[in-house]
PDB file of all heavy atoms in Angstrom:
ATOM      1  N   ILE O 626       0.534   2.185  -0.749  1.00 48.00           N
ATOM      2  CA  ILE O 626       1.324   3.425  -0.899  1.00 48.00           C
ATOM      3  C   ILE O 626       0.839   4.396   0.165  1.00 48.00           C
ATOM      4  O   ILE O 626      -0.375   4.629   0.317  1.00 48.00           O
ATOM      5  CB  ILE O 626       1.129   4.097  -2.299  1.00 48.00           C
ATOM      6  CG1 ILE O 626       1.678   3.155  -3.361  1.00 48.00           C
ATOM      7  CG2 ILE O 626       1.828   5.438  -2.375  1.00 48.00           C
ATOM      8  CD1 ILE O 626       1.483   3.621  -4.783  1.00 48.00           C
ATOM      9  N   SER O 627       1.812   4.938   0.904  1.00 50.00           N
ATOM     10  CA  SER O 627       1.451   5.929   1.946  1.00 50.00           C
ATOM     11  C   SER O 627       2.011   7.263   1.532  1.00 50.00           C
ATOM     12  O   SER O 627       3.100   7.357   1.047  1.00 50.00           O
ATOM     13  CB  SER O 627       2.087   5.429   3.257  1.00 50.00           C
ATOM     14  OG  SER O 627       1.894   6.414   4.274  1.00 50.00           O
ATOM     15  N   ILE O 628       1.264   8.321   1.899  1.00 55.00           N
ATOM     16  CA  ILE O 628       1.740   9.686   1.632  1.00 55.00           C
ATOM     17  C   ILE O 628       2.859  10.034   2.555  1.00 55.00           C
ATOM     18  O   ILE O 628       3.868  10.615   2.212  1.00 55.00           O
ATOM     19  CB  ILE O 628       0.597  10.651   1.765  1.00 55.00           C
ATOM     20  CG1 ILE O 628      -0.410  10.472   0.649  1.00 55.00           C
ATOM     21  CG2 ILE O 628       1.097  12.091   1.734  1.00 55.00           C
ATOM     22  CD1 ILE O 628      -1.597  11.340   0.690  1.00 55.00           C
ATOM     23  N   ASP O 629       2.768   9.688   3.832  1.00 51.00           N
ATOM     24  CA  ASP O 629       3.782   9.950   4.840  1.00 51.00           C
ATOM     25  C   ASP O 629       4.733   8.777   4.975  1.00 51.00           C
ATOM     26  O   ASP O 629       4.273   7.646   5.080  1.00 51.00           O
ATOM     27  CB  ASP O 629       3.175  10.342   6.187  1.00 51.00           C
ATOM     28  CG  ASP O 629       2.385  11.590   6.197  1.00 51.00           C
ATOM     29  OD1 ASP O 629       2.768  12.495   5.333  1.00 51.00           O
ATOM     30  OD2 ASP O 629       1.327  11.679   6.893  1.00 51.00           O
ATOM     31  N   LYS O 630       6.016   9.066   5.070  1.00 50.00           N
ATOM     32  CA  LYS O 630       6.975   8.046   5.327  1.00 50.00           C
ATOM     33  C   LYS O 630       7.135   7.814   6.860  1.00 50.00           C
ATOM     34  O   LYS O 630       7.408   8.722   7.522  1.00 50.00           O
ATOM     35  CB  LYS O 630       8.314   8.432   4.739  1.00 50.00           C
ATOM     36  CG  LYS O 630       8.320   8.542   3.224  1.00 50.00           C
ATOM     37  CD  LYS O 630       9.690   8.894   2.720  1.00 50.00           C
ATOM     38  CE  LYS O 630       9.730   9.068   1.236  1.00 50.00           C
ATOM     39  NZ  LYS O 630      11.008   9.476   0.700  1.00 50.00           N
ATOM     40  N   GLU O 631       6.957   6.623   7.242  1.00 49.00           N
ATOM     41  CA  GLU O 631       7.064   6.266   8.697  1.00 49.00           C
ATOM     42  C   GLU O 631       8.521   5.901   9.071  1.00 49.00           C
ATOM     43  O   GLU O 631       8.972   6.161  10.133  1.00 49.00           O
ATOM     44  CB  GLU O 631       6.102   5.129   9.010  1.00 49.00           C
ATOM     45  CG  GLU O 631       4.673   5.490   8.846  1.00 49.00           C
ATOM     46  CD  GLU O 631       4.206   6.621   9.762  1.00 49.00           C
ATOM     47  OE1 GLU O 631       4.777   6.769  10.927  1.00 49.00           O
ATOM     48  OE2 GLU O 631       3.343   7.412   9.314  1.00 49.00           O
ATOM     49  N   GLU O 632       9.168   5.277   8.143  1.00 46.00           N
ATOM     50  CA  GLU O 632      10.532   4.727   8.470  1.00 46.00           C
ATOM     51  C   GLU O 632      11.461   5.060   7.308  1.00 46.00           C
ATOM     52  O   GLU O 632      11.066   5.242   6.175  1.00 46.00           O
ATOM     53  CB  GLU O 632      10.527   3.225   8.704  1.00 46.00           C
ATOM     54  CG  GLU O 632       9.604   2.847   9.913  1.00 46.00           C
ATOM     55  CD  GLU O 632       9.552   1.318  10.053  1.00 46.00           C
ATOM     56  OE1 GLU O 632      10.146   0.639   9.233  1.00 46.00           O
ATOM     57  OE2 GLU O 632       8.994   0.897  11.016  1.00 46.00           O
ATOM     58  N   LYS O 633      12.761   5.105   7.676  1.00 50.00           N
ATOM     59  CA  LYS O 633      13.779   5.314   6.680  1.00 50.00           C
ATOM     60  C   LYS O 633      14.977   4.463   7.083  1.00 50.00           C
ATOM     61  O   LYS O 633      15.350   4.347   8.238  1.00 50.00           O
ATOM     62  CB  LYS O 633      14.214   6.772   6.664  1.00 50.00           C
ATOM     63  CG  LYS O 633      15.230   7.043   5.606  1.00 50.00           C
ATOM     64  CD  LYS O 633      15.626   8.562   5.564  1.00 50.00           C
ATOM     65  CE  LYS O 633      16.652   8.748   4.524  1.00 50.00           C
ATOM     66  NZ  LYS O 633      17.110  10.165   4.449  1.00 50.00           N
ATOM     67  N   ASP O 634      15.549   3.815   6.056  1.00 50.00           N
ATOM     68  CA  ASP O 634      16.719   2.909   6.261  1.00 50.00           C
ATOM     69  C   ASP O 634      16.434   1.884   7.391  1.00 50.00           C
ATOM     70  O   ASP O 634      17.010   1.894   8.432  1.00 50.00           O
ATOM     71  CB  ASP O 634      17.943   3.740   6.659  1.00 50.00           C
ATOM     72  CG  ASP O 634      18.335   4.730   5.520  1.00 50.00           C
ATOM     73  OD1 ASP O 634      18.149   4.378   4.336  1.00 50.00           O
ATOM     74  OD2 ASP O 634      18.886   5.791   5.911  1.00 50.00           O
ATOM     75  N   GLY O 635      15.460   1.037   7.074  1.00 50.00           N
ATOM     76  CA  GLY O 635      15.162  -0.047   8.091  1.00 50.00           C
ATOM     77  C   GLY O 635      14.133   0.362   8.994  1.00 50.00           C
ATOM     78  O   GLY O 635      13.069   0.821   8.609  1.00 50.00           O
ATOM     79  N   ASN O 636      14.431   0.168  10.250  1.00 47.00           N
ATOM     80  CA  ASN O 636      13.428   0.478  11.317  1.00 47.00           C
ATOM     81  C   ASN O 636      13.671   1.739  12.058  1.00 47.00           C
ATOM     82  O   ASN O 636      13.019   2.014  13.038  1.00 47.00           O
ATOM     83  CB  ASN O 636      13.351  -0.678  12.284  1.00 47.00           C
ATOM     84  CG  ASN O 636      12.808  -1.987  11.703  1.00 47.00           C
ATOM     85  OD1 ASN O 636      12.004  -1.863  10.695  1.00 47.00           O
ATOM     86  ND2 ASN O 636      13.297  -3.015  12.143  1.00 47.00           N
ATOM     87  N   GLN O 637      14.578   2.606  11.546  1.00 55.00           N
ATOM     88  CA  GLN O 637      14.833   3.887  12.280  1.00 55.00           C
ATOM     89  C   GLN O 637      13.744   4.890  11.917  1.00 55.00           C
ATOM     90  O   GLN O 637      13.631   5.256  10.746  1.00 55.00           O
ATOM     91  CB  GLN O 637      16.244   4.351  11.844  1.00 55.00           C
ATOM     92  CG  GLN O 637      16.570   5.694  12.485  1.00 55.00           C
ATOM     93  CD  GLN O 637      17.905   6.197  11.942  1.00 55.00           C
ATOM     94  OE1 GLN O 637      18.463   5.701  10.989  1.00 55.00           O
ATOM     95  NE2 GLN O 637      18.422   7.265  12.512  1.00 55.00           N
ATOM     96  N   PRO O 638      12.970   5.290  12.915  1.00 56.00           N
ATOM     97  CA  PRO O 638      11.871   6.237  12.576  1.00 56.00           C
ATOM     98  C   PRO O 638      12.485   7.643  12.346  1.00 56.00           C
ATOM     99  O   PRO O 638      13.519   8.054  12.845  1.00 56.00           O
ATOM    100  CB  PRO O 638      11.120   6.267  13.916  1.00 56.00           C
ATOM    101  CG  PRO O 638      11.973   5.750  14.921  1.00 56.00           C
ATOM    102  CD  PRO O 638      12.998   4.896  14.277  1.00 56.00           C
ATOM    103  N   LEU O 639      11.852   8.338  11.401  1.00 64.00           N
ATOM    104  CA  LEU O 639      12.181   9.694  11.087  1.00 64.00           C
ATOM    105  C   LEU O 639      11.717  10.646  12.123  1.00 64.00           C
ATOM    106  O   LEU O 639      10.612  10.528  12.644  1.00 64.00           O
ATOM    107  CB  LEU O 639      11.634  10.083   9.723  1.00 64.00           C
ATOM    108  CG  LEU O 639      12.148   9.425   8.477  1.00 64.00           C
ATOM    109  CD1 LEU O 639      11.326   9.804   7.304  1.00 64.00           C
ATOM    110  CD2 LEU O 639      13.580   9.860   8.209  1.00 64.00           C
ATOM    111  N   ASN O 640      12.554  11.697  12.434  1.00 88.00           N
ATOM    112  CA  ASN O 640      12.024  12.706  13.275  1.00 88.00           C
ATOM    113  C   ASN O 640      11.118  13.640  12.482  1.00 88.00           C
ATOM    114  O   ASN O 640      11.088  13.589  11.247  1.00 88.00           O
ATOM    115  CB  ASN O 640      13.149  13.392  13.997  1.00 88.00           C
ATOM    116  CG  ASN O 640      14.075  14.171  13.080  1.00 88.00           C
ATOM    117  OD1 ASN O 640      13.744  14.409  11.943  1.00 88.00           O
ATOM    118  ND2 ASN O 640      15.265  14.499  13.524  1.00 88.00           N
ATOM    119  N   LYS O 641      10.413  14.519  13.177  1.00 86.00           N
ATOM    120  CA  LYS O 641       9.408  15.406  12.492  1.00 86.00           C
ATOM    121  C   LYS O 641      10.085  16.334  11.466  1.00 86.00           C
ATOM    122  O   LYS O 641       9.570  16.461  10.335  1.00 86.00           O
ATOM    123  CB  LYS O 641       8.731  16.242  13.488  1.00 86.00           C
ATOM    124  CG  LYS O 641       7.564  15.570  14.167  1.00 86.00           C
ATOM    125  CD  LYS O 641       6.847  16.519  15.070  1.00 86.00           C
ATOM    126  CE  LYS O 641       5.606  15.896  15.570  1.00 86.00           C
ATOM    127  NZ  LYS O 641       4.755  16.865  16.305  1.00 86.00           N
ATOM    128  N   LYS O 642      11.245  16.850  11.809  1.00 83.00           N
ATOM    129  CA  LYS O 642      11.907  17.793  10.894  1.00 83.00           C
ATOM    130  C   LYS O 642      12.400  17.031   9.570  1.00 83.00           C
ATOM    131  O   LYS O 642      12.124  17.544   8.450  1.00 83.00           O
ATOM    132  CB  LYS O 642      13.177  18.378  11.570  1.00 83.00           C
ATOM    133  CG  LYS O 642      13.839  19.481  10.666  1.00 83.00           C
ATOM    134  CD  LYS O 642      14.984  20.130  11.388  1.00 83.00           C
ATOM    135  CE  LYS O 642      15.665  21.114  10.536  1.00 83.00           C
ATOM    136  NZ  LYS O 642      16.804  21.794  11.186  1.00 83.00           N
ATOM    137  N   ALA O 643      12.947  15.878   9.756  1.00 85.00           N
ATOM    138  CA  ALA O 643      13.421  15.120   8.555  1.00 85.00           C
ATOM    139  C   ALA O 643      12.138  14.685   7.737  1.00 85.00           C
ATOM    140  O   ALA O 643      12.210  14.705   6.474  1.00 85.00           O
ATOM    141  CB  ALA O 643      14.201  13.861   8.989  1.00 85.00           C
ATOM    142  N   ARG O 644      11.076  14.333   8.352  1.00 88.00           N
ATOM    143  CA  ARG O 644       9.902  13.930   7.650  1.00 88.00           C
ATOM    144  C   ARG O 644       9.292  15.103   6.911  1.00 88.00           C
ATOM    145  O   ARG O 644       8.859  15.007   5.761  1.00 88.00           O
ATOM    146  CB  ARG O 644       8.872  13.324   8.647  1.00 88.00           C
ATOM    147  CG  ARG O 644       7.799  12.568   7.940  1.00 88.00           C
ATOM    148  CD  ARG O 644       6.883  11.752   8.899  1.00 88.00           C
ATOM    149  NE  ARG O 644       7.438  11.801  10.263  1.00 88.00           N
ATOM    150  CZ  ARG O 644       6.698  11.783  11.336  1.00 88.00           C
ATOM    151  NH1 ARG O 644       5.388  11.726  11.233  1.00 88.00           N
ATOM    152  NH2 ARG O 644       7.178  11.837  12.576  1.00 88.00           N
ATOM    153  N   SER O 645       9.260  16.234   7.574  1.00 87.00           N
ATOM    154  CA  SER O 645       8.722  17.453   6.902  1.00 87.00           C
ATOM    155  C   SER O 645       9.622  17.899   5.730  1.00 87.00           C
ATOM    156  O   SER O 645       9.050  18.308   4.688  1.00 87.00           O
ATOM    157  CB  SER O 645       8.641  18.629   7.939  1.00 87.00           C
ATOM    158  OG  SER O 645       7.737  18.322   8.963  1.00 87.00           O
ATOM    159  N   LEU O 646      10.937  17.818   5.888  1.00 87.00           N
ATOM    160  CA  LEU O 646      11.774  18.139   4.797  1.00 87.00           C
ATOM    161  C   LEU O 646      11.623  17.198   3.640  1.00 87.00           C
ATOM    162  O   LEU O 646      11.655  17.609   2.441  1.00 87.00           O
ATOM    163  CB  LEU O 646      13.290  18.136   5.246  1.00 87.00           C
ATOM    164  CG  LEU O 646      13.712  19.239   6.216  1.00 87.00           C
ATOM    165  CD1 LEU O 646      15.127  19.062   6.675  1.00 87.00           C
ATOM    166  CD2 LEU O 646      13.642  20.593   5.420  1.00 87.00           C
ATOM    167  N   ALA O 647      11.426  15.901   3.885  1.00 89.00           N
ATOM    168  CA  ALA O 647      11.223  14.921   2.844  1.00 89.00           C
ATOM    169  C   ALA O 647       9.915  15.242   2.168  1.00 89.00           C
ATOM    170  O   ALA O 647       9.863  15.107   0.883  1.00 89.00           O
ATOM    171  CB  ALA O 647      11.189  13.493   3.415  1.00 89.00           C
ATOM    172  N   ASP O 648       8.813  15.579   2.823  1.00 90.00           N
ATOM    173  CA  ASP O 648       7.565  15.913   2.234  1.00 90.00           C
ATOM    174  C   ASP O 648       7.636  17.254   1.438  1.00 90.00           C
ATOM    175  O   ASP O 648       7.103  17.335   0.347  1.00 90.00           O
ATOM    176  CB  ASP O 648       6.511  16.119   3.296  1.00 90.00           C
ATOM    177  CG  ASP O 648       6.034  14.824   3.890  1.00 90.00           C
ATOM    178  OD1 ASP O 648       6.300  13.736   3.259  1.00 90.00           O
ATOM    179  OD2 ASP O 648       5.363  14.824   4.973  1.00 90.00           O
ATOM    180  N   ILE O 649       8.421  18.217   1.953  1.00 89.00           N
ATOM    181  CA  ILE O 649       8.550  19.482   1.233  1.00 89.00           C
ATOM    182  C   ILE O 649       9.344  19.232  -0.115  1.00 89.00           C
ATOM    183  O   ILE O 649       8.965  19.751  -1.148  1.00 89.00           O
ATOM    184  CB  ILE O 649       9.277  20.548   2.065  1.00 89.00           C
ATOM    185  CG1 ILE O 649       8.364  21.006   3.194  1.00 89.00           C
ATOM    186  CG2 ILE O 649       9.766  21.726   1.207  1.00 89.00           C
ATOM    187  CD1 ILE O 649       9.016  21.821   4.208  1.00 89.00           C
TER     188      ILE O 649
END
Side-chain angles (χ1 to χ4, degrees):
I626 297 175
S627 173
I628 291 177
D629 294 329
K630 294 180 181 178
E631 296 297 328
E632 298 179 354
K633 182 180 179 180
D634 298 329
N636 293 330
Q637 180 185 6
L639 290 172
N640 62 19
K641 280 187 170 185
K642 184 177 179 180
R644 198 170 351 149
S645 295
L646 288 173
D648 286 345
I649 291 170

